[in-house]
Amino acid sequence: MNFVRRALCSVTRKKGKSLILFAVIFVLGNVIAGAIAIQQSTENVEKSVKKQLGGMATVEIDYEKFQDELMKEENQKELKPLELKTIKKIGDSPYVKYYDYNASGWISSKKLKSASFGDDSSMGFPEGSFSLKGSNYAKVLDVEENKIKITEGRTFKQEEIDKGTNGAIISSKVADENGLAVGDQMVLDNVAYESYNENGGVGELYKIDTPVEIIGI
């Protein structure tokens, strides 16, 4: 008698045990199948969430490495900024949804009233100091990342970015302090001071007035 016939005879003779065995196998199979389905579903949800959230990366010069190179080399090296072609090459990657390259700075104004946020007043900047940030991304990166919210007006248009139009988005606090609204012209009077003048005080070296149109708050 071959193994197949012997197995069939064992099943038919011991129906109770066979039914219990098949029931256990059926339950285990369903449990395993359910576990696999849950695992696959969890992985799909995780991938979907990661795709929706995305990630933000900042590309900048490695200043620590540059300092280390200066210590090693006898000849002084020049610190060069990131080249525009390098920035665009990174931004054109299919893995990048949008990108921005920007410049930040400070100005001191004699006419405009500044406003502080949180603990900014403890940073050591004098009254009348303003933080400026120039953007190459028309929709404004901080708006896209939900760091700031436009309550009045709009963000930039691409042609305004391309032409270098003097448009500005200001905070609501700065608008309130200076009585400004969307559509107004604001003159940034950037004042530069010398350390000490002949009388031992701080003197004004020069002043540059730059008119900008407020397009958003």
Side-chain angles (χ1 to χ4, degrees):
M1 187 179 293
N2 57 32
F3 290 106
V4 176
R5 292 182 64 184
R6 290 173 61 185
L8 290 174
C9 288
S10 177
V11 170
T12 54
R13 288 176 183 174
K14 303 177 181 179
K15 295 181 180 179
K17 291 184 178 180
S18 298
L19 289 173
I20 294 173
L21 178 62
F22 286 135
V24 171
I25 294 174
F26 178 77
V27 171
L28 287 176
N30 280 287
V31 171
I32 294 172
I36 295 173
I38 292 172
Q39 182 182 7
Q40 290 178 344
S41 177
T42 303
E43 291 177 355
N44 292 333
V45 170
E46 182 180 356
K47 290 179 181 178
S48 177
V49 170
K50 286 183 177 179
K51 186 176 181 180
Q52 292 176 9
L53 292 177
M56 186 171 67
T58 302
V59 180
E60 59 183 7
I61 297 172
D62 191 339
Y63 293 100
E64 292 185 3
K65 184 178 180 180
F66 179 75
Q67 291 293 337
D68 293 339
E69 292 295 327
L70 286 179
M71 298 296 291
K72 295 177 183 178
E73 300 289 338
E74 293 183 0
N75 298 326
Q76 294 291 323
K77 288 187 176 182
E78 181 182 358
L79 180 61
K80 297 181 179 179
L82 286 171
E83 295 183 353
L84 184 58
K85 63 179 181 180
T86 303
I87 297 172
K88 289 186 175 181
K89 183 178 180 181
I90 297 172
D92 290 338
S93 168
Y95 299 102
V96 177
K97 185 177 181 180
Y98 49 80
Y99 72 100
D100 178 34
Y101 56 94
N102 50 69
S104 300
W106 287 85
I107 67 166
S108 295
S109 173
K110 293 176 69 176
K111 298 179 180 178
L112 298 173
K113 297 179 181 178
S114 58
S116 61
F117 292 85
D119 296 331
D120 288 354
S121 57
S122 63
M123 293 177 65
F125 294 101
E127 185 178 352
S129 296
F130 288 84
S131 170
L132 305 180
K133 184 177 181 179
S135 176
N136 185 68
Y137 183 54
K139 295 182 180 180
V140 183
L141 190 63
D142 287 344
V143 175
E144 292 289 290
E145 296 295 323
N146 295 318
K147 292 182 178 179
I148 61 174
K149 181 181 179 181
I150 303 296
T151 56
E152 297 179 45
R154 58 176 176 84
T155 55
F156 298 97
K157 297 177 181 178
Q158 188 58 49
E159 54 264 29
E160 293 174 334
I161 297 291
D162 296 337
K163 294 179 181 178
T165 305
N166 286 347
I169 298 172
I170 64 175
S171 72
S172 58
K173 286 190 175 183
V174 170
D176 293 339
E177 287 288 337
N178 296 277
L180 297 169
V182 174
D184 289 348
Q185 288 283 336
M186 179 176 67
V187 178
L188 297 174
D189 56 319
N190 185 18
V191 182
Y193 298 94
E194 60 182 342
S195 299
Y196 296 99
N197 57 24
E198 57 185 9
N199 298 322
V202 177
E204 181 180 319
L205 285 176
Y206 61 84
K207 181 169 70 73
I208 301 175
D209 291 340
T210 305
V212 297
E213 179 186 356
I214 301 172
I215 64 170
I217 294 176

